[in-house]
PDB file of all heavy atoms in Angstrom:
ATOM      1  N   GLU A   1       4.978   3.731   2.749  1.00  0.00           N
ATOM      2  CA  GLU A   1       5.431   4.132   4.088  1.00  0.00           C
ATOM      3  C   GLU A   1       5.019   5.566   4.402  1.00  0.00           C
ATOM      4  O   GLU A   1       4.478   5.778   5.518  1.00  0.00           O
ATOM      5  CB  GLU A   1       7.010   4.010   4.099  1.00  0.00           C
ATOM      6  CG  GLU A   1       7.529   4.415   5.468  1.00  0.00           C
ATOM      7  CD  GLU A   1       9.031   4.365   5.560  1.00  0.00           C
ATOM      8  OE1 GLU A   1       9.674   3.996   4.501  1.00  0.00           O
ATOM      9  OE2 GLU A   1       9.576   4.623   6.637  1.00  0.00           O
ATOM     10  N   SER A   2       5.189   6.479   3.479  1.00  0.00           N
ATOM     11  CA  SER A   2       4.822   7.874   3.849  1.00  0.00           C
ATOM     12  C   SER A   2       3.313   8.039   3.972  1.00  0.00           C
ATOM     13  O   SER A   2       2.788   8.753   4.792  1.00  0.00           O
ATOM     14  CB  SER A   2       5.348   8.893   2.772  1.00  0.00           C
ATOM     15  OG  SER A   2       4.731   8.675   1.559  1.00  0.00           O
ATOM     16  N   GLY A   3       2.545   7.303   3.095  1.00  0.00           N
ATOM     17  CA  GLY A   3       1.078   7.385   3.256  1.00  0.00           C
ATOM     18  C   GLY A   3       0.605   6.799   4.533  1.00  0.00           C
ATOM     19  O   GLY A   3      -0.339   7.297   5.165  1.00  0.00           O
ATOM     20  N   SER A   4       1.236   5.677   4.937  1.00  0.00           N
ATOM     21  CA  SER A   4       0.912   5.060   6.217  1.00  0.00           C
ATOM     22  C   SER A   4       1.224   5.941   7.388  1.00  0.00           C
ATOM     23  O   SER A   4       0.467   6.016   8.411  1.00  0.00           O
ATOM     24  CB  SER A   4       1.659   3.749   6.371  1.00  0.00           C
ATOM     25  OG  SER A   4       1.331   2.847   5.443  1.00  0.00           O
ATOM     26  N   ARG A   5       2.336   6.789   7.233  1.00  0.00           N
ATOM     27  CA  ARG A   5       2.646   7.732   8.323  1.00  0.00           C
ATOM     28  C   ARG A   5       1.580   8.848   8.419  1.00  0.00           C
ATOM     29  O   ARG A   5       1.191   9.247   9.480  1.00  0.00           O
ATOM     30  CB  ARG A   5       4.008   8.319   8.095  1.00  0.00           C
ATOM     31  CG  ARG A   5       4.515   9.220   9.282  1.00  0.00           C
ATOM     32  CD  ARG A   5       5.926   9.627   9.115  1.00  0.00           C
ATOM     33  NE  ARG A   5       6.817   8.448   9.119  1.00  0.00           N
ATOM     34  CZ  ARG A   5       7.473   7.990   8.083  1.00  0.00           C
ATOM     35  NH1 ARG A   5       7.307   8.576   6.915  1.00  0.00           N
ATOM     36  NH2 ARG A   5       8.210   6.903   8.225  1.00  0.00           N
ATOM     37  N   ALA A   6       1.116   9.266   7.276  1.00  0.00           N
ATOM     38  CA  ALA A   6       0.009  10.262   7.267  1.00  0.00           C
ATOM     39  C   ALA A   6      -1.269   9.719   7.865  1.00  0.00           C
ATOM     40  O   ALA A   6      -1.984  10.387   8.563  1.00  0.00           O
ATOM     41  CB  ALA A   6      -0.253  10.720   5.784  1.00  0.00           C
ATOM     42  N   ALA A   7      -1.476   8.401   7.621  1.00  0.00           N
ATOM     43  CA  ALA A   7      -2.651   7.732   8.162  1.00  0.00           C
ATOM     44  C   ALA A   7      -2.603   7.733   9.730  1.00  0.00           C
ATOM     45  O   ALA A   7      -3.625   8.163  10.336  1.00  0.00           O
ATOM     46  CB  ALA A   7      -2.813   6.306   7.628  1.00  0.00           C
ATOM     47  N   ILE A   8      -1.548   7.242  10.259  1.00  0.00           N
ATOM     48  CA  ILE A   8      -1.519   7.160  11.716  1.00  0.00           C
ATOM     49  C   ILE A   8      -1.497   8.500  12.392  1.00  0.00           C
ATOM     50  O   ILE A   8      -1.952   8.679  13.468  1.00  0.00           O
ATOM     51  CB  ILE A   8      -0.334   6.302  12.173  1.00  0.00           C
ATOM     52  CG1 ILE A   8       1.062   6.881  11.726  1.00  0.00           C
ATOM     53  CG2 ILE A   8      -0.499   4.846  11.717  1.00  0.00           C
ATOM     54  CD1 ILE A   8       2.244   6.108  12.275  1.00  0.00           C
ATOM     55  N   ALA A   9      -0.935   9.502  11.672  1.00  0.00           N
ATOM     56  CA  ALA A   9      -1.014  10.898  12.230  1.00  0.00           C
ATOM     57  C   ALA A   9      -2.398  11.372  12.331  1.00  0.00           C
ATOM     58  O   ALA A   9      -2.699  12.232  13.137  1.00  0.00           O
ATOM     59  CB  ALA A   9      -0.148  11.829  11.390  1.00  0.00           C
ATOM     60  N   GLY A  10      -3.278  10.841  11.399  1.00  0.00           N
ATOM     61  CA  GLY A  10      -4.741  11.205  11.468  1.00  0.00           C
ATOM     62  C   GLY A  10      -5.595  10.303  12.266  1.00  0.00           C
ATOM     63  O   GLY A  10      -6.781  10.476  12.282  1.00  0.00           O
ATOM     64  N   GLY A  11      -5.018   9.313  12.921  1.00  0.00           N
ATOM     65  CA  GLY A  11      -5.790   8.418  13.726  1.00  0.00           C
ATOM     66  C   GLY A  11      -6.244   7.187  12.998  1.00  0.00           C
ATOM     67  O   GLY A  11      -7.020   6.365  13.579  1.00  0.00           O
ATOM     68  N   PHE A  12      -5.818   7.021  11.787  1.00  0.00           N
ATOM     69  CA  PHE A  12      -6.236   5.838  11.011  1.00  0.00           C
ATOM     70  C   PHE A  12      -5.273   4.647  11.250  1.00  0.00           C
ATOM     71  O   PHE A  12      -4.114   4.798  11.026  1.00  0.00           O
ATOM     72  CB  PHE A  12      -6.256   6.156   9.486  1.00  0.00           C
ATOM     73  CG  PHE A  12      -7.409   7.111   9.113  1.00  0.00           C
ATOM     74  CD1 PHE A  12      -7.196   8.451   9.133  1.00  0.00           C
ATOM     75  CD2 PHE A  12      -8.647   6.582   8.726  1.00  0.00           C
ATOM     76  CE1 PHE A  12      -8.259   9.315   8.751  1.00  0.00           C
ATOM     77  CE2 PHE A  12      -9.744   7.413   8.451  1.00  0.00           C
ATOM     78  CZ  PHE A  12      -9.485   8.804   8.418  1.00  0.00           C
ATOM     79  N   THR A  13      -5.839   3.540  11.642  1.00  0.00           N
ATOM     80  CA  THR A  13      -5.021   2.358  11.903  1.00  0.00           C
ATOM     81  C   THR A  13      -5.118   1.326  10.780  1.00  0.00           C
ATOM     82  O   THR A  13      -4.418   0.329  10.761  1.00  0.00           O
ATOM     83  CB  THR A  13      -5.387   1.696  13.230  1.00  0.00           C
ATOM     84  OG1 THR A  13      -6.817   1.414  13.148  1.00  0.00           O
ATOM     85  CG2 THR A  13      -5.095   2.572  14.378  1.00  0.00           C
ATOM     86  N   ALA A  14      -6.033   1.576   9.841  1.00  0.00           N
ATOM     87  CA  ALA A  14      -6.188   0.666   8.652  1.00  0.00           C
ATOM     88  C   ALA A  14      -6.617   1.515   7.483  1.00  0.00           C
ATOM     89  O   ALA A  14      -7.428   2.459   7.579  1.00  0.00           O
ATOM     90  CB  ALA A  14      -7.263  -0.404   8.959  1.00  0.00           C
ATOM     91  N   VAL A  15      -5.967   1.217   6.298  1.00  0.00           N
ATOM     92  CA  VAL A  15      -6.323   1.892   5.077  1.00  0.00           C
ATOM     93  C   VAL A  15      -6.550   0.873   3.985  1.00  0.00           C
ATOM     94  O   VAL A  15      -5.962  -0.186   4.023  1.00  0.00           O
ATOM     95  CB  VAL A  15      -5.251   2.915   4.608  1.00  0.00           C
ATOM     96  CG1 VAL A  15      -5.073   3.994   5.725  1.00  0.00           C
ATOM     97  CG2 VAL A  15      -3.885   2.137   4.397  1.00  0.00           C
ATOM     98  N   CYS A  16      -7.455   1.256   3.049  1.00  0.00           N
ATOM     99  CA  CYS A  16      -7.680   0.396   1.873  1.00  0.00           C
ATOM    100  C   CYS A  16      -7.223   1.199   0.649  1.00  0.00           C
ATOM    101  O   CYS A  16      -7.776   2.256   0.354  1.00  0.00           O
ATOM    102  CB  CYS A  16      -9.176   0.051   1.788  1.00  0.00           C
ATOM    103  SG  CYS A  16      -9.794  -0.775   3.245  1.00  0.00           S
ATOM    104  N   ALA A  17      -6.263   0.574  -0.039  1.00  0.00           N
ATOM    105  CA  ALA A  17      -5.514   1.386  -1.060  1.00  0.00           C
ATOM    106  C   ALA A  17      -6.030   1.009  -2.455  1.00  0.00           C
ATOM    107  O   ALA A  17      -6.115  -0.130  -2.861  1.00  0.00           O
ATOM    108  CB  ALA A  17      -4.042   1.077  -0.975  1.00  0.00           C
ATOM    109  N   MET A  18      -6.418   2.069  -3.206  1.00  0.00           N
ATOM    110  CA  MET A  18      -6.967   1.910  -4.573  1.00  0.00           C
ATOM    111  C   MET A  18      -5.857   1.370  -5.465  1.00  0.00           C
ATOM    112  O   MET A  18      -4.661   1.478  -5.267  1.00  0.00           O
ATOM    113  CB  MET A  18      -7.514   3.185  -5.096  1.00  0.00           C
ATOM    114  CG  MET A  18      -8.803   3.605  -4.421  1.00  0.00           C
ATOM    115  SD  MET A  18     -10.125   2.447  -4.841  1.00  0.00           S
ATOM    116  CE  MET A  18     -11.494   3.138  -3.812  1.00  0.00           C
ATOM    117  N   ALA A  19      -6.387   0.770  -6.601  1.00  0.00           N
ATOM    118  CA  ALA A  19      -5.543   0.001  -7.468  1.00  0.00           C
ATOM    119  C   ALA A  19      -4.945   0.737  -8.638  1.00  0.00           C
ATOM    120  O   ALA A  19      -4.165   0.186  -9.436  1.00  0.00           O
ATOM    121  CB  ALA A  19      -6.393  -1.147  -8.116  1.00  0.00           C
ATOM    122  N   ASN A  20      -5.162   2.078  -8.737  1.00  0.00           N
ATOM    123  CA  ASN A  20      -4.695   2.767  -9.882  1.00  0.00           C
ATOM    124  C   ASN A  20      -3.206   3.321  -9.760  1.00  0.00           C
ATOM    125  O   ASN A  20      -2.924   4.438  -9.925  1.00  0.00           O
ATOM    126  CB  ASN A  20      -5.573   3.984 -10.281  1.00  0.00           C
ATOM    127  CG  ASN A  20      -5.750   5.004  -9.145  1.00  0.00           C
ATOM    128  OD1 ASN A  20      -5.491   4.730  -7.967  1.00  0.00           O
ATOM    129  ND2 ASN A  20      -6.028   6.241  -9.520  1.00  0.00           N
ATOM    130  N   THR A  21      -2.370   2.363  -9.389  1.00  0.00           N
ATOM    131  CA  THR A  21      -0.976   2.568  -9.313  1.00  0.00           C
ATOM    132  C   THR A  21      -0.380   2.386 -10.739  1.00  0.00           C
ATOM    133  O   THR A  21      -1.113   2.165 -11.676  1.00  0.00           O
ATOM    134  CB  THR A  21      -0.324   1.667  -8.318  1.00  0.00           C
ATOM    135  OG1 THR A  21      -0.765   0.311  -8.519  1.00  0.00           O
ATOM    136  CG2 THR A  21      -0.718   2.064  -6.882  1.00  0.00           C
ATOM    137  N   LYS A  22       0.964   2.505 -10.841  1.00  0.00           N
ATOM    138  CA  LYS A  22       1.599   2.297 -12.139  1.00  0.00           C
ATOM    139  C   LYS A  22       2.733   1.321 -11.993  1.00  0.00           C
ATOM    140  O   LYS A  22       3.800   1.672 -11.566  1.00  0.00           O
ATOM    141  CB  LYS A  22       2.122   3.634 -12.672  1.00  0.00           C
ATOM    142  CG  LYS A  22       1.043   4.643 -13.017  1.00  0.00           C
ATOM    143  CD  LYS A  22       1.627   5.908 -13.672  1.00  0.00           C
ATOM    144  CE  LYS A  22       0.466   6.834 -14.065  1.00  0.00           C
ATOM    145  NZ  LYS A  22       1.039   8.081 -14.695  1.00  0.00           N
ATOM    146  N   PRO A  23       2.551   0.011 -12.348  1.00  0.00           N
ATOM    147  CA  PRO A  23       1.361  -0.591 -12.954  1.00  0.00           C
ATOM    148  C   PRO A  23       0.209  -0.748 -11.981  1.00  0.00           C
ATOM    149  O   PRO A  23       0.415  -0.700 -10.790  1.00  0.00           O
ATOM    150  CB  PRO A  23       1.866  -1.918 -13.452  1.00  0.00           C
ATOM    151  CG  PRO A  23       2.969  -2.263 -12.504  1.00  0.00           C
ATOM    152  CD  PRO A  23       3.627  -0.938 -12.153  1.00  0.00           C
ATOM    153  N   VAL A  24      -0.974  -0.965 -12.529  1.00  0.00           N
ATOM    154  CA  VAL A  24      -2.159  -1.142 -11.700  1.00  0.00           C
ATOM    155  C   VAL A  24      -2.138  -2.411 -10.967  1.00  0.00           C
ATOM    156  O   VAL A  24      -1.483  -3.398 -11.368  1.00  0.00           O
ATOM    157  CB  VAL A  24      -3.487  -0.957 -12.505  1.00  0.00           C
ATOM    158  CG1 VAL A  24      -3.551   0.399 -13.204  1.00  0.00           C
ATOM    159  CG2 VAL A  24      -3.582  -2.115 -13.525  1.00  0.00           C
ATOM    160  N   ASN A  25      -2.901  -2.521  -9.877  1.00  0.00           N
ATOM    161  CA  ASN A  25      -2.964  -3.684  -9.088  1.00  0.00           C
ATOM    162  C   ASN A  25      -3.969  -4.716  -9.603  1.00  0.00           C
ATOM    163  O   ASN A  25      -5.070  -4.856  -9.103  1.00  0.00           O
ATOM    164  CB  ASN A  25      -3.273  -3.396  -7.610  1.00  0.00           C
ATOM    165  CG  ASN A  25      -3.159  -4.626  -6.713  1.00  0.00           C
ATOM    166  OD1 ASN A  25      -2.512  -5.608  -7.088  1.00  0.00           O
ATOM    167  ND2 ASN A  25      -3.885  -4.604  -5.628  1.00  0.00           N
ATOM    168  N   ASP A  26      -3.578  -5.369 -10.746  1.00  0.00           N
ATOM    169  CA  ASP A  26      -4.392  -6.394 -11.333  1.00  0.00           C
ATOM    170  C   ASP A  26      -3.691  -7.742 -11.296  1.00  0.00           C
ATOM    171  O   ASP A  26      -4.144  -8.645 -12.035  1.00  0.00           O
ATOM    172  CB  ASP A  26      -4.873  -5.970 -12.746  1.00  0.00           C
ATOM    173  CG  ASP A  26      -3.651  -5.936 -13.741  1.00  0.00           C
ATOM    174  OD1 ASP A  26      -2.482  -6.059 -13.274  1.00  0.00           O
ATOM    175  OD2 ASP A  26      -3.933  -5.757 -14.908  1.00  0.00           O
ATOM    176  N   SER A  27      -2.667  -7.899 -10.478  1.00  0.00           N
ATOM    177  CA  SER A  27      -1.956  -9.153 -10.458  1.00  0.00           C
ATOM    178  C   SER A  27      -1.496  -9.497  -9.007  1.00  0.00           C
ATOM    179  O   SER A  27      -1.372  -8.587  -8.167  1.00  0.00           O
ATOM    180  CB  SER A  27      -0.671  -9.067 -11.337  1.00  0.00           C
ATOM    181  OG  SER A  27       0.300  -8.191 -10.734  1.00  0.00           O
ATOM    182  N   VAL A  28      -1.332 -10.758  -8.766  1.00  0.00           N
ATOM    183  CA  VAL A  28      -0.878 -11.164  -7.449  1.00  0.00           C
ATOM    184  C   VAL A  28       0.470 -10.616  -7.106  1.00  0.00           C
ATOM    185  O   VAL A  28       0.788 -10.245  -5.940  1.00  0.00           O
ATOM    186  CB  VAL A  28      -0.806 -12.743  -7.428  1.00  0.00           C
ATOM    187  CG1 VAL A  28      -0.115 -13.236  -6.181  1.00  0.00           C
ATOM    188  CG2 VAL A  28      -2.224 -13.352  -7.474  1.00  0.00           C
ATOM    189  N   ALA A  29       1.361 -10.459  -8.119  1.00  0.00           N
ATOM    190  CA  ALA A  29       2.677  -9.922  -7.868  1.00  0.00           C
ATOM    191  C   ALA A  29       2.636  -8.478  -7.266  1.00  0.00           C
ATOM    192  O   ALA A  29       3.348  -8.166  -6.281  1.00  0.00           O
ATOM    193  CB  ALA A  29       3.497  -9.937  -9.181  1.00  0.00           C
ATOM    194  N   ILE A  30       1.762  -7.658  -7.858  1.00  0.00           N
ATOM    195  CA  ILE A  30       1.606  -6.269  -7.297  1.00  0.00           C
ATOM    196  C   ILE A  30       1.014  -6.302  -5.958  1.00  0.00           C
ATOM    197  O   ILE A  30       1.451  -5.598  -5.011  1.00  0.00           O
ATOM    198  CB  ILE A  30       0.786  -5.410  -8.307  1.00  0.00           C
ATOM    199  CG1 ILE A  30       1.452  -5.309  -9.685  1.00  0.00           C
ATOM    200  CG2 ILE A  30       0.537  -4.051  -7.712  1.00  0.00           C
ATOM    201  CD1 ILE A  30       2.781  -4.600  -9.624  1.00  0.00           C
ATOM    202  N   THR A  31      -0.057  -7.095  -5.766  1.00  0.00           N
ATOM    203  CA  THR A  31      -0.670  -7.161  -4.457  1.00  0.00           C
ATOM    204  C   THR A  31       0.335  -7.605  -3.391  1.00  0.00           C
ATOM    205  O   THR A  31       0.444  -7.014  -2.309  1.00  0.00           O
ATOM    206  CB  THR A  31      -1.849  -8.202  -4.513  1.00  0.00           C
ATOM    207  OG1 THR A  31      -2.837  -7.701  -5.394  1.00  0.00           O
ATOM    208  CG2 THR A  31      -2.534  -8.362  -3.123  1.00  0.00           C
ATOM    209  N   GLU A  32       1.086  -8.625  -3.661  1.00  0.00           N
ATOM    210  CA  GLU A  32       2.078  -9.102  -2.707  1.00  0.00           C
ATOM    211  C   GLU A  32       3.181  -8.118  -2.443  1.00  0.00           C
ATOM    212  O   GLU A  32       3.624  -7.982  -1.295  1.00  0.00           O
ATOM    213  CB  GLU A  32       2.680 -10.455  -3.219  1.00  0.00           C
ATOM    214  CG  GLU A  32       1.630 -11.594  -3.153  1.00  0.00           C
ATOM    215  CD  GLU A  32       2.232 -12.917  -3.656  1.00  0.00           C
ATOM    216  OE1 GLU A  32       3.363 -12.849  -4.285  1.00  0.00           O
ATOM    217  OE2 GLU A  32       1.632 -13.956  -3.372  1.00  0.00           O
ATOM    218  N   MET A  33       3.632  -7.378  -3.465  1.00  0.00           N
ATOM    219  CA  MET A  33       4.583  -6.394  -3.248  1.00  0.00           C
ATOM    220  C   MET A  33       4.069  -5.244  -2.293  1.00  0.00           C
ATOM    221  O   MET A  33       4.777  -4.808  -1.394  1.00  0.00           O
ATOM    222  CB  MET A  33       4.943  -5.699  -4.618  1.00  0.00           C
ATOM    223  CG  MET A  33       6.082  -4.694  -4.534  1.00  0.00           C
ATOM    224  SD  MET A  33       5.453  -3.001  -4.094  1.00  0.00           S
ATOM    225  CE  MET A  33       4.581  -2.507  -5.586  1.00  0.00           C
ATOM    226  N   MET A  34       2.779  -4.830  -2.539  1.00  0.00           N
ATOM    227  CA  MET A  34       2.185  -3.854  -1.709  1.00  0.00           C
ATOM    228  C   MET A  34       2.174  -4.279  -0.225  1.00  0.00           C
ATOM    229  O   MET A  34       2.588  -3.534   0.667  1.00  0.00           O
ATOM    230  CB  MET A  34       0.801  -3.506  -2.167  1.00  0.00           C
ATOM    231  CG  MET A  34       0.693  -2.804  -3.489  1.00  0.00           C
ATOM    232  SD  MET A  34      -1.016  -2.647  -4.018  1.00  0.00           S
ATOM    233  CE  MET A  34      -0.906  -1.342  -5.271  1.00  0.00           C
ATOM    234  N   LEU A  35       1.774  -5.523  -0.031  1.00  0.00           N
ATOM    235  CA  LEU A  35       1.618  -6.050   1.333  1.00  0.00           C
ATOM    236  C   LEU A  35       2.979  -6.139   2.007  1.00  0.00           C
ATOM    237  O   LEU A  35       3.134  -5.911   3.209  1.00  0.00           O
ATOM    238  CB  LEU A  35       0.943  -7.399   1.335  1.00  0.00           C
ATOM    239  CG  LEU A  35      -0.546  -7.307   0.989  1.00  0.00           C
ATOM    240  CD1 LEU A  35      -1.145  -8.667   0.709  1.00  0.00           C
ATOM    241  CD2 LEU A  35      -1.310  -6.610   2.090  1.00  0.00           C
ATOM    242  N   THR A  36       4.023  -6.497   1.225  1.00  0.00           N
ATOM    243  CA  THR A  36       5.357  -6.617   1.755  1.00  0.00           C
ATOM    244  C   THR A  36       5.901  -5.247   2.183  1.00  0.00           C
ATOM    245  O   THR A  36       6.494  -5.088   3.256  1.00  0.00           O
ATOM    246  CB  THR A  36       6.317  -7.211   0.712  1.00  0.00           C
ATOM    247  OG1 THR A  36       5.885  -8.546   0.350  1.00  0.00           O
ATOM    248  CG2 THR A  36       7.752  -7.286   1.206  1.00  0.00           C
ATOM    249  N   ARG A  37       5.694  -4.231   1.332  1.00  0.00           N
ATOM    250  CA  ARG A  37       6.104  -2.905   1.698  1.00  0.00           C
ATOM    251  C   ARG A  37       5.412  -2.372   2.960  1.00  0.00           C
ATOM    252  O   ARG A  37       6.050  -1.728   3.736  1.00  0.00           O
ATOM    253  CB  ARG A  37       5.877  -1.953   0.478  1.00  0.00           C
ATOM    254  CG  ARG A  37       6.672  -2.312  -0.755  1.00  0.00           C
ATOM    255  CD  ARG A  37       8.141  -1.940  -0.685  1.00  0.00           C
ATOM    256  NE  ARG A  37       8.957  -2.421  -1.800  1.00  0.00           N
ATOM    257  CZ  ARG A  37       8.995  -1.832  -2.957  1.00  0.00           C
ATOM    258  NH1 ARG A  37       8.376  -0.700  -3.198  1.00  0.00           N
ATOM    259  NH2 ARG A  37       9.706  -2.338  -3.959  1.00  0.00           N
ATOM    260  N   ALA A  38       4.149  -2.683   3.018  1.00  0.00           N
ATOM    261  CA  ALA A  38       3.339  -2.240   4.184  1.00  0.00           C
ATOM    262  C   ALA A  38       3.794  -2.888   5.477  1.00  0.00           C
ATOM    263  O   ALA A  38       3.982  -2.251   6.526  1.00  0.00           O
ATOM    264  CB  ALA A  38       1.868  -2.455   3.963  1.00  0.00           C
ATOM    265  N   ALA A  39       4.110  -4.199   5.392  1.00  0.00           N
ATOM    266  CA  ALA A  39       4.609  -4.904   6.504  1.00  0.00           C
ATOM    267  C   ALA A  39       5.954  -4.350   6.990  1.00  0.00           C
ATOM    268  O   ALA A  39       6.236  -4.282   8.140  1.00  0.00           O
ATOM    269  CB  ALA A  39       4.660  -6.371   6.220  1.00  0.00           C
ATOM    270  N   LYS A  40       6.810  -4.037   5.989  1.00  0.00           N
ATOM    271  CA  LYS A  40       8.109  -3.484   6.287  1.00  0.00           C
ATOM    272  C   LYS A  40       7.981  -2.135   7.023  1.00  0.00           C
ATOM    273  O   LYS A  40       8.819  -1.783   7.929  1.00  0.00           O
ATOM    274  CB  LYS A  40       8.925  -3.313   5.042  1.00  0.00           C
ATOM    275  CG  LYS A  40      10.380  -2.855   5.272  1.00  0.00           C
ATOM    276  CD  LYS A  40      11.174  -2.718   3.902  1.00  0.00           C
ATOM    277  CE  LYS A  40      12.571  -2.267   4.185  1.00  0.00           C
ATOM    278  NZ  LYS A  40      13.332  -2.166   2.924  1.00  0.00           N
ATOM    279  N   ALA A  41       6.980  -1.300   6.684  1.00  0.00           N
ATOM    280  CA  ALA A  41       6.833  -0.021   7.253  1.00  0.00           C
ATOM    281  C   ALA A  41       6.434  -0.108   8.749  1.00  0.00           C
ATOM    282  O   ALA A  41       6.757   0.766   9.583  1.00  0.00           O
ATOM    283  CB  ALA A  41       5.782   0.778   6.509  1.00  0.00           C
TER     284      ALA A  41
END
């Protein structure tokens, strides 16, 4: 949410987020969680 707010403040309407989170995005569960949080924001 906060990263997305920084993005729109800079004029970015789409971002591609790297996978080196903790845990890393190497599973469908993590990918789906990310997309759910982004949709909620």
Side-chain angles (χ1 to χ4, degrees):
E1 181 179 2
S2 67
S4 298
R5 188 172 296 108
I8 59 175
F12 289 91
T13 56
V15 296
C16 302
M18 287 296 175
N20 62 336
T21 48
K22 294 185 177 181
V24 300
N25 185 22
D26 64 354
S27 70
V28 170
I30 297 296
T31 298
E32 290 180 344
M33 182 278 289
M34 290 175 164
L35 290 170
T36 298
R37 297 284 173 84
K40 184 179 179 181

